[in-house]
Each structure stands twice: as C-alpha cells, then as structure tokens.
Amino acid sequence: VTHGTVTTSPGTMPNRTPWGIVPRRRKRRERTTWSYEQKVALETAFEQAPYQDVYERQELAEKINTYPSRVMIWFKNRRVRQRMIE
C-alpha cells in the first residue's frame, strides 16, 4: 500500500517513515478566552489605533494580563473583521 512517499504493507501504520521513525505532531495551543474587561480594553485600544507598535502591544498585554503575541493576533483578526464589515 502506498501513502504519499511512504510504502507500507497491509496492517502496518502508514505514518511511519521508511526508517521506522514516527513523526510527532505538535499539540495546538488552546483557544484564548477573553474576559469582558479584556475585550473592552482591546476594543478601546483598537479604536484609538488599529495598528499597535511593539511598546503599545507590550503595555496593553501587561494591562490585561496576557502575552503580547496574543494581543498581536487579536489585532490581526480584528482588522480582518473590520475589513469584512466595510
């Protein structure tokens, strides 16, 4: 049986490489659940400036007790949502 570039015989696992190594999948991070206060702070900051610089992002992240990378992704998604509305 052929699965892409890996050939296996019936009854064996198709996710093994020819060298017998099983590739590991990274766990996806859990979805961020924003509290009401965090959403208000994020929306307020977005209304003031839809593009945050590193320092503003860091400050906002500390204020709402989260990581700057989560704030960056929130702003990215919010800008997409804004464009869809317009």
Side-chain angles (χ1 to χ4, degrees), residues 3-61:
H3 299 281
T5 59
V6 179
T7 304
T8 62
S9 57
T12 59
M13 294 184 62
N15 61 348
R16 291 187 181 268
T17 63
W19 305 278
I21 300 169
V22 178
R24 296 196 183 252
R25 289 189 173 195
R26 289 180 51 187
K27 275 190 162 184
R28 288 184 65 173
R29 58 171 306 287
E30 288 188 26
R31 184 181 179 101
T32 303
T33 305
W34 301 104
S35 70
Y36 175 77
E37 291 80 14
Q38 288 174 319
K39 288 179 195 176
V40 169
L42 288 163
E43 286 291 346
T44 302
F46 183 82
E47 288 172 9
Q48 292 172 359
Y51 290 90
Q52 298 268 311
D53 65 23
V54 178
Y55 305 108
E56 292 171 326
R57 191 166 46 239
Q58 177 71 35
E59 191 176 306
L60 180 58

